[in-house]
């Protein structure tokens, strides 16, 4: 500006222009102007208008992960007249994350504990009010699958106490988790979202009544849970989020091989009678589940194609579901909350004739199974587990009766042949498997 003459012949040289709207001093100005100049500034938009904090953002979604949640949001159209410099997401449990754009990932959360979130925006004039709270979200560990015990051959002359684990949503070799409380093979397993349980088995010619458990998210040795009613080998297992079901097993020539028992997974104690199977289950029944219904594939020493079901939350005898396309025993089961798969089975008595096949059923209905696809080779005596999207089959032996460490996977909602996942830490057969994210806990 040029020199300007005011009343009283006062002269002001180059008065300061109003400060820029993005400045921290927005809303202030120095200098002396004539009324005409002030009017000109205002007309041109240079005249400062006092700023304010921005409007509150709007949360558009929250996505849980492993001890973290991604919070997505839209900025408010009202930025208070200033550039928004940052956004902050705050968890109801107190953790925060800040950044310049959506989404913000809040970390150090507790897996298994539900939280909500709010978001604020900040400019040079201050911080907005908090957004409306998000919907509740629960961070969780990536789905983990565990493999328990087994033998280095399918016969009762070599037993393992090894527990392996994998992250089901990825691929790669299994890692050591810890040891069973009692070394054994021919055992069954099941799990809630937090705890995996094994039951029965045999070691050194002695049948076991052992039930033991581990905490899935950690690593370490198994802890004693209680006992099944009689020592049995060749047991199976299935569960929903609260109740685990122990399936059959061979207790000896004078006792029933059709017994079904249950436990409450979050507690400890001995198993309680549930009901009976329609067929003998002395050689490893493959179990899997939805949250309400348990599915049992095969399991007799002389394999047949029987499929049975139970209602997990009640008690009573198993009911006929339909038939597999192949005879199966010592198989692996995997399930989402709607579909159950049977694979990695023997098709001949006493653990002969490993099968190539995988079959599936729709759990909520009844009827015969449908072909899903094939394994990479003839493989039997393996174990199965799953997340709600991916079925896992591991271990067993091949058509040359050599024990294998191979892990394969399928996408449960589709059909097709297995793909390679990785390897177990040790080749094993007639072992147990369970996971934190199978169909029964969804």
């Amino acid at each position: 500006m040029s020199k300007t003459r005011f009343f009283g012949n006062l002269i002001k040289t180059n008065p300061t222009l109003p400060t820029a709207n993005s400045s921290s001093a927005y809303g202030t100005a120095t200098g002396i102007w004539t009324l005409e100049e002030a009017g000109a500034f205002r007309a041109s938009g240079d005249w400062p208008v006092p700023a304010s904090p921005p409007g509150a953002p709007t949360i558009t979604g929250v996505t849980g992960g492993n001890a973290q949640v991604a919070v997505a949001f839209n900025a408010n159209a009202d930025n208070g007249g200033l550039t928004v410099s940052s956004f902050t997401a705050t968890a109801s449990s107190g953790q925060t994350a800040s950044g310049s754009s959506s989404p913000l990932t809040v970390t150090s959360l507790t897996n298994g504990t539900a939280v909500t979130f709010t978001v604020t925006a900040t400019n040079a004039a201050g911080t907005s009010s908090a957004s409306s709270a998000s919907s509740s979200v629960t961070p969780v560990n990536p789905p983990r699958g565990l493999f328990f015990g087994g033998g280095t051959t399918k016969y009762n002359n070599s037993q393992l106490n090894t527990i392996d684990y994998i992250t089901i949503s990825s691929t790669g070799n299994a890692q050591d988790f810890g040891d069973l409380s009692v070394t054994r093979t021919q055992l069954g397993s099941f799990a809630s979202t937090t705890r995996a349980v094994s039951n029965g088995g045999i070691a050194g010619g002695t049948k076991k009544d052992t039930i033991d458990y581990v905490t899935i998210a950690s690593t370490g040795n198994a802890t004693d849970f209680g006992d099944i009613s009689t020592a049995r080998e060749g047991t199976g297992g299935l569960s929903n989020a609260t109740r685990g079901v122990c399936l059959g097993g061979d207790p000896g020539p004078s006792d029933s091989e059709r017994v079904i028992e249950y436990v409450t997974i979050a507690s400890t104690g001995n198993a309680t009678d549930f009901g009976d199977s329609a067929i003998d289950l002395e050689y490893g029944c493959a179990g899997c589940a939805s949250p309400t219904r348990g599915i049992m594939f095969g399991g007799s020493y002389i394999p047949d194609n029987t499929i049975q079901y139970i209602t997990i939350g009640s008690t009573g005898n198993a009911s006929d579901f339909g038939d597999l396309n192949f005879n199966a025993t010592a198989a692996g089961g995997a399930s989402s909350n709607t579909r159950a798969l049977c694979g990695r089975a023997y098709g001949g008595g006493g653990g002969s004739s490993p099968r190539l096949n995988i079959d599936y059923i729709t759990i909520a209905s009844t009827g015969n199974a449908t072909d899903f696809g094939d394994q990479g080779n003839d493989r039997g005596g393996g174990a199965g587990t799953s997340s709600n999207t991916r079925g896992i089959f591991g271990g067993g032996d091949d058509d040359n009766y050599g024990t294998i460490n191979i892990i394969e996977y399928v996408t449960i909602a589709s059909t097709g042949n297995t793909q390679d996942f990785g390897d177990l830490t040790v080749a094993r057969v007639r072992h147990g498997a369970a996971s934190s994210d199978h169909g029964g806990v969804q």
Side-chain angles (χ1 to χ4, degrees):
M1 293 170 57
S2 60
K3 294 180 180 179
T4 304
R5 184 176 298 277
F6 295 91
F7 293 109
N9 291 322
L10 297 176
I11 301 296
K12 176 68 177 180
T13 303
N14 294 330
T16 305
L17 289 172
T19 52
N21 286 356
S22 61
S23 165
S24 60
Y26 176 72
T28 67
T30 62
I32 300 173
W33 300 275
T34 66
L35 290 176
E36 290 81 3
E37 287 170 331
F41 282 133
R42 185 169 185 176
S44 66
D46 290 332
W47 188 257
V49 178
S52 63
T58 301
I59 294 178
T60 58
V62 285
T63 304
N66 181 17
Q68 64 184 32
V69 169
V71 183
F73 57 91
N74 289 330
N76 197 302
D78 175 13
N79 66 0
L82 293 173
T83 301
V84 174
S85 56
S86 66
F87 300 91
T88 299
T90 302
S92 55
S93 51
Q95 297 86 345
T96 64
S98 297
S100 60
S101 62
S102 172
L104 296 173
T105 299
V106 182
T107 60
S108 300
L109 302 173
T110 301
N111 285 328
T113 300
V115 284
T116 59
F117 295 85
T118 58
V119 177
T120 58
T122 299
N123 64 15
T127 296
S128 72
S129 59
S131 68
S132 297
S134 72
S135 57
S136 178
V137 60
T138 302
V140 294
N141 278 305
R144 221 179 224 195
L146 277 67
F147 296 88
F148 300 90
T152 57
T153 75
K154 64 176 173 286
Y155 304 108
N156 181 30
N157 56 11
S158 57
Q159 298 84 43
L160 299 167
N161 67 358
T162 307
I163 307 172
D164 282 358
Y165 76 93
I166 59 171
T167 299
I168 296 177
S169 53
S170 64
T171 58
N173 295 337
Q175 300 180 64
D176 181 66
F177 184 99
D179 297 331
L180 292 166
S181 65
V182 176
T183 298
R184 58 205 197 275
T185 186
Q186 301 180 36
L187 69 164
S189 299
F190 49 81
S192 67
T193 57
T194 58
R195 181 181 277 191
V197 182
S198 295
N199 71 97
I202 187 171
T206 302
K207 302 176 195 292
K208 304 295 181 181
D209 62 4
T210 304
I211 308 174
D212 56 10
Y213 73 95
V214 296
T215 300
I216 299 173
S218 64
T219 57
N221 297 337
T223 300
D224 182 66
F225 185 101
D227 298 327
I228 52 178
S229 59
T230 56
R232 302 194 293 273
E233 62 175 311
T235 52
L238 61 86
S239 65
N240 61 15
T242 58
R243 179 179 279 191
V245 182
C246 310
L247 304 173
D250 180 7
S254 61
D255 293 310
S256 173
E257 298 164 343
R258 301 188 178 192
V259 63
I260 305 172
E261 299 178 314
Y262 73 94
V263 298
T264 300
I265 299 174
S267 65
T268 57
N270 296 337
T272 301
D273 183 64
F274 186 100
D276 292 328
S277 164
I279 64 171
D280 291 341
L281 301 177
E282 71 268 47
Y283 209 72
C285 173
C288 49
S290 72
T292 57
R293 181 178 276 190
I295 300 295
M296 302 148 61
F297 294 108
S300 177
Y301 179 80
I302 303 299
D304 66 17
N305 61 0
T306 301
I307 310 171
Q308 303 175 80
Y309 73 94
I310 57 173
T311 301
I312 300 173
S314 65
T315 57
N317 297 337
S319 300
D320 182 67
F321 186 100
D323 297 329
L324 289 163
N325 289 305
F326 54 90
N327 294 332
T329 196
S335 69
S336 67
N337 57 6
T338 58
R339 180 181 277 193
L341 280 61
C342 178
R344 200 73 53 119
Y346 291 130
S352 60
S353 303
R355 304 302 305 237
L356 186 67
N357 319 68
I358 302 171
D359 271 6
Y360 77 93
I361 59 167
T362 300
I363 298 174
S365 66
T366 58
N368 296 336
T370 301
D371 180 66
F372 184 96
D374 294 332
Q375 301 177 90
N377 204 336
D378 292 339
R379 290 165 183 157
T385 189
S386 62
S387 67
N388 198 43
T389 57
R390 182 178 276 192
I392 302 290
F393 297 97
D397 57 23
D398 58 23
D399 53 5
N400 295 314
Y401 304 109
T403 306
I404 59 175
N405 64 356
I406 296 168
I407 310 171
E408 297 174 303
Y409 74 95
V410 295
T411 301
I412 297 175
S414 65
T415 58
N417 298 337
T418 57
Q419 300 181 65
D420 182 65
F421 185 98
D423 296 329
L424 296 167
T425 63
V426 60
R428 64 181 78 189
V429 64
R430 301 201 63 189
H431 47 294
S435 85
S436 60
D437 191 45
H438 59 88
V441 302
Q442 297 300 315

